[in-house]
Every structure is written in structure tokens, then in C-alpha cells.
Amino acid sequence: MTTKPVVLIVDDSSFNLQLLGAFLGSDYDVCVATTGEEAIEIAPDVEPDIVILDVVLPGIDGHDVCTSLRNMPQFRDLPIIFSSGNGDAETIARGRAVGGTDFLGKPVNAAALRKMVAAHTAEGRRPCSA
């Protein structure tokens, strides 16, 4: 039995969490976090295959979350897609500098999101249990 890849979506907007979850839920096991601290805490338990990470979060921002995840050995090669309404060159460059894999602008285009996530995920992870 093959399990769906696990996507951890980190965003402080319940609307964005619901929207992204709806876009991906049929093909991926979706887990969510509403703060950077929560994402760092649950990531080892949910073992995501990919993270979609909002840049602007309350408390720890997305760049610091990415840095924290990259410092965990099991997440050194984890695909992390930054998502933001601010897609300027500086935001994208900073995301890459801290280990971001890709960047997705907001508002999110469903087809672009699915294509990007599919390109960065591998099959065979366990379902989300957190």
C-alpha cells in the first residue's frame, strides 16, 4: 500500500490554509501549522515530504522557520516552498539564501501549486498523525 506524500502547510491565515488544503487534499496528506513555532514543533512528528511556508508569520517568520528546519538533520534536503504576496527579488533571494527550494506568489494559482508540489515530492511517506 502506497501512502500519499505529506505536505506541511504553514500559514497564519485560516483562509489560505483551507484553500491550499483544498487544492492539494486529494493527492496529498495535508498537515497544517498556524505559526512558525508550531511548524518547528510538529515537523519531526509528521515527517513532511514538502513544506509550503508563508514568509510573514506571527512570532518566528518563515525565513527563521526554514533555517530551524534546515538545522535538523532529517530536514536538510526537505523541499521548502516559500509563499508570499510580496514576490520581490529581495524576498525571493532571502528565501533561497536560508535554504528555500522554490517560491510561490499569492494569490496562489491552483495549477501552479499542484505542479510545483508534484515536482518536488516523492512517493511513499506515512500519513499525517499529528
Short mmCIF file of all heavy atoms in Angstrom, two decimals, residues 47-78:
data_model
loop_
_atom_site.label_atom_id
_atom_site.label_comp_id
_atom_site.label_asym_id
_atom_site.label_seq_id
_atom_site.Cartn_x
_atom_site.Cartn_y
_atom_site.Cartn_z
N GLU A 47 6.72 14.29 9.78
CA GLU A 47 7.68 13.90 8.74
C GLU A 47 7.23 14.32 7.34
O GLU A 47 7.00 13.49 6.46
CB GLU A 47 7.93 12.39 8.78
CG GLU A 47 8.55 11.90 10.06
CD GLU A 47 8.79 10.40 10.06
OE1 GLU A 47 8.54 9.73 9.03
OE2 GLU A 47 9.26 9.91 11.09
N PRO A 48 7.12 15.63 7.11
CA PRO A 48 6.62 16.07 5.80
C PRO A 48 7.58 15.72 4.67
O PRO A 48 8.79 15.65 4.85
CB PRO A 48 6.52 17.59 5.97
CG PRO A 48 7.51 17.93 7.02
CD PRO A 48 7.52 16.75 7.96
N ASP A 49 6.97 15.52 3.50
CA ASP A 49 7.74 15.34 2.28
C ASP A 49 8.05 16.68 1.63
O ASP A 49 8.95 16.79 0.79
CB ASP A 49 6.97 14.47 1.28
CG ASP A 49 6.84 13.05 1.79
OD1 ASP A 49 7.84 12.34 1.77
OD2 ASP A 49 5.72 12.68 2.23
N ILE A 50 7.26 17.69 2.01
CA ILE A 50 7.42 19.04 1.48
C ILE A 50 6.74 20.01 2.44
O ILE A 50 5.79 19.64 3.14
CB ILE A 50 6.82 19.15 0.06
CG1 ILE A 50 7.22 20.46 -0.62
CG2 ILE A 50 5.33 18.93 0.07
CD1 ILE A 50 6.96 20.48 -2.12
N VAL A 51 7.24 21.25 2.48
CA VAL A 51 6.63 22.30 3.30
C VAL A 51 6.28 23.47 2.40
O VAL A 51 7.09 23.88 1.56
CB VAL A 51 7.60 22.77 4.42
CG1 VAL A 51 7.00 23.94 5.20
CG2 VAL A 51 7.95 21.62 5.36
N ILE A 52 5.07 24.00 2.58
CA ILE A 52 4.68 25.25 1.95
C ILE A 52 4.64 26.27 3.08
O ILE A 52 3.85 26.13 4.02
CB ILE A 52 3.32 25.14 1.23
CG1 ILE A 52 3.40 24.06 0.16
CG2 ILE A 52 2.93 26.49 0.62
CD1 ILE A 52 2.09 23.70 -0.45
N LEU A 53 5.50 27.26 3.01
CA LEU A 53 5.79 28.12 4.15
C LEU A 53 5.56 29.59 3.84
O LEU A 53 6.24 30.18 2.98
CB LEU A 53 7.26 27.88 4.55
CG LEU A 53 7.84 28.63 5.72
CD1 LEU A 53 7.07 28.38 7.00
CD2 LEU A 53 9.31 28.21 5.90
N ASP A 54 4.60 30.18 4.53
CA ASP A 54 4.35 31.61 4.42
C ASP A 54 5.56 32.36 4.95
O ASP A 54 6.18 31.95 5.93
CB ASP A 54 3.10 31.97 5.24
CG ASP A 54 2.61 33.38 5.03
OD1 ASP A 54 3.07 34.07 4.09
OD2 ASP A 54 1.75 33.81 5.82
N VAL A 55 5.93 33.44 4.30
CA VAL A 55 7.07 34.23 4.74
C VAL A 55 6.74 35.04 5.99
O VAL A 55 7.49 35.06 6.95
CB VAL A 55 7.56 35.17 3.61
CG1 VAL A 55 8.64 36.11 4.11
CG2 VAL A 55 8.08 34.36 2.42
N VAL A 56 5.57 35.68 5.98
CA VAL A 56 5.18 36.55 7.10
C VAL A 56 4.29 35.76 8.05
O VAL A 56 3.17 35.39 7.70
CB VAL A 56 4.45 37.81 6.60
CG1 VAL A 56 4.04 38.69 7.76
CG2 VAL A 56 5.34 38.57 5.62
N LEU A 57 4.81 35.51 9.25
CA LEU A 57 4.10 34.78 10.28
C LEU A 57 4.23 35.53 11.60
O LEU A 57 5.22 36.23 11.80
CB LEU A 57 4.69 33.37 10.45
CG LEU A 57 4.57 32.41 9.29
CD1 LEU A 57 5.49 31.21 9.50
CD2 LEU A 57 3.13 31.95 9.15
N PRO A 58 3.27 35.34 12.51
CA PRO A 58 3.45 35.93 13.83
C PRO A 58 4.58 35.21 14.57
O PRO A 58 4.78 34.01 14.39
CB PRO A 58 2.11 35.68 14.52
CG PRO A 58 1.50 34.54 13.79
CD PRO A 58 2.03 34.61 12.37
N GLY A 59 5.34 35.93 15.35
CA GLY A 59 6.46 35.30 16.05
C GLY A 59 7.61 35.07 15.09
O GLY A 59 8.07 35.98 14.41
N ILE A 60 8.02 33.83 14.99
CA ILE A 60 9.12 33.46 14.10
C ILE A 60 8.64 33.55 12.65
O ILE A 60 7.63 32.94 12.30
CB ILE A 60 9.61 32.02 14.38
CG1 ILE A 60 10.05 31.87 15.83
CG2 ILE A 60 10.74 31.64 13.46
CD1 ILE A 60 10.38 30.43 16.20
N ASP A 61 9.36 34.27 11.79
CA ASP A 61 8.94 34.37 10.39
C ASP A 61 9.36 33.13 9.60
O ASP A 61 10.08 32.27 10.09
CB ASP A 61 9.43 35.67 9.75
CG ASP A 61 10.92 35.69 9.42
OD1 ASP A 61 11.61 34.68 9.56
OD2 ASP A 61 11.39 36.77 9.01
N GLY A 62 8.87 33.06 8.37
CA GLY A 62 9.14 31.90 7.54
C GLY A 62 10.62 31.64 7.28
O GLY A 62 11.06 30.49 7.23
N HIS A 63 11.41 32.70 7.15
CA HIS A 63 12.84 32.52 6.92
C HIS A 63 13.50 31.84 8.12
O HIS A 63 14.34 30.94 7.95
CB HIS A 63 13.51 33.86 6.63
CG HIS A 63 13.03 34.48 5.36
ND1 HIS A 63 12.39 35.69 5.32
CD2 HIS A 63 13.08 34.04 4.07
CE1 HIS A 63 12.06 35.97 4.08
NE2 HIS A 63 12.47 35.00 3.29
N ASP A 64 13.11 32.24 9.32
CA ASP A 64 13.67 31.62 10.52
C ASP A 64 13.18 30.18 10.69
O ASP A 64 13.93 29.31 11.17
CB ASP A 64 13.34 32.44 11.77
CG ASP A 64 14.08 33.78 11.79
OD1 ASP A 64 15.14 33.89 11.13
OD2 ASP A 64 13.60 34.71 12.47
N VAL A 65 11.95 29.91 10.30
CA VAL A 65 11.44 28.54 10.33
C VAL A 65 12.27 27.66 9.40
O VAL A 65 12.70 26.56 9.75
CB VAL A 65 9.94 28.47 9.94
CG1 VAL A 65 9.49 27.03 9.79
CG2 VAL A 65 9.09 29.21 10.96
N CYS A 66 12.52 28.15 8.20
CA CYS A 66 13.32 27.41 7.23
C CYS A 66 14.70 27.12 7.79
O CYS A 66 15.19 25.98 7.71
CB CYS A 66 13.41 28.19 5.92
SG CYS A 66 14.26 27.32 4.59
N THR A 67 15.33 28.11 8.38
CA THR A 67 16.66 27.93 8.97
C THR A 67 16.62 26.88 10.07
O THR A 67 17.49 26.00 10.13
CB THR A 67 17.19 29.27 9.53
OG1 THR A 67 17.30 30.20 8.44
CG2 THR A 67 18.54 29.11 10.19
N SER A 68 15.60 26.94 10.92
CA SER A 68 15.47 25.95 12.01
C SER A 68 15.28 24.54 11.46
O SER A 68 15.90 23.59 11.96
CB SER A 68 14.30 26.31 12.93
OG SER A 68 14.55 27.50 13.62
N LEU A 69 14.45 24.41 10.44
CA LEU A 69 14.24 23.08 9.85
C LEU A 69 15.53 22.57 9.20
O LEU A 69 15.87 21.39 9.34
CB LEU A 69 13.10 23.11 8.83
CG LEU A 69 11.70 23.33 9.40
CD1 LEU A 69 10.68 23.49 8.28
CD2 LEU A 69 11.30 22.19 10.33
N ARG A 70 16.22 23.43 8.50
CA ARG A 70 17.48 23.03 7.85
C ARG A 70 18.54 22.60 8.87
O ARG A 70 19.42 21.81 8.54
CB ARG A 70 18.04 24.17 6.99
CG ARG A 70 17.21 24.45 5.77
CD ARG A 70 17.37 23.33 4.75
NE ARG A 70 16.64 23.65 3.54
CZ ARG A 70 15.71 22.87 3.02
NH1 ARG A 70 15.41 21.73 3.58
NH2 ARG A 70 15.10 23.21 1.91
N ASN A 71 18.45 23.08 10.10
CA ASN A 71 19.39 22.68 11.14
C ASN A 71 19.08 21.31 11.73
O ASN A 71 19.87 20.79 12.51
CB ASN A 71 19.44 23.74 12.25
CG ASN A 71 20.19 24.97 11.81
OD1 ASN A 71 21.10 24.90 10.99
ND2 ASN A 71 19.80 26.12 12.33
N MET A 72 17.92 20.73 11.39
CA MET A 72 17.56 19.39 11.82
C MET A 72 18.04 18.41 10.73
O MET A 72 17.66 18.57 9.57
CB MET A 72 16.06 19.25 12.02
CG MET A 72 15.50 20.12 13.11
SD MET A 72 13.70 19.86 13.22
CE MET A 72 13.21 21.32 14.12
N PRO A 73 18.87 17.44 11.09
CA PRO A 73 19.44 16.55 10.07
C PRO A 73 18.41 15.91 9.13
O PRO A 73 18.66 15.80 7.93
CB PRO A 73 20.16 15.47 10.89
CG PRO A 73 20.43 16.12 12.21
CD PRO A 73 19.32 17.10 12.43
N GLN A 74 17.26 15.54 9.64
CA GLN A 74 16.26 14.87 8.80
C GLN A 74 15.60 15.80 7.79
O GLN A 74 14.94 15.34 6.85
CB GLN A 74 15.19 14.17 9.66
CG GLN A 74 14.25 15.09 10.42
CD GLN A 74 14.72 15.47 11.81
OE1 GLN A 74 15.90 15.71 12.04
NE2 GLN A 74 13.77 15.55 12.73
N PHE A 75 15.81 17.12 7.94
CA PHE A 75 15.17 18.08 7.03
C PHE A 75 16.16 18.87 6.18
O PHE A 75 15.78 19.85 5.54
CB PHE A 75 14.27 19.04 7.82
CG PHE A 75 13.16 18.34 8.56
CD1 PHE A 75 12.93 18.60 9.90
CD2 PHE A 75 12.36 17.41 7.92
CE1 PHE A 75 11.92 17.97 10.59
CE2 PHE A 75 11.34 16.76 8.60
CZ PHE A 75 11.12 17.04 9.93
N ARG A 76 17.39 18.45 6.13
CA ARG A 76 18.39 19.18 5.34
C ARG A 76 18.04 19.25 3.86
O ARG A 76 18.34 20.23 3.19
CB ARG A 76 19.77 18.56 5.54
CG ARG A 76 20.33 18.91 6.89
CD ARG A 76 21.82 18.65 6.99
NE ARG A 76 22.26 19.02 8.31
CZ ARG A 76 22.81 18.18 9.17
NH1 ARG A 76 23.04 16.94 8.82
NH2 ARG A 76 23.15 18.60 10.37
N ASP A 77 17.42 18.19 3.35
CA ASP A 77 17.08 18.13 1.92
C ASP A 77 15.58 18.25 1.65
O ASP A 77 15.14 18.04 0.53
CB ASP A 77 17.60 16.82 1.32
CG ASP A 77 19.11 16.72 1.39
OD1 ASP A 77 19.77 17.75 1.16
OD2 ASP A 77 19.63 15.63 1.68
N LEU A 78 14.82 18.59 2.67
CA LEU A 78 13.38 18.72 2.54
C LEU A 78 13.02 19.88 1.62
O LEU A 78 13.51 21.00 1.81
CB LEU A 78 12.77 18.98 3.93
CG LEU A 78 11.27 19.25 4.02
CD1 LEU A 78 10.49 17.98 3.68
CD2 LEU A 78 10.91 19.76 5.40
#
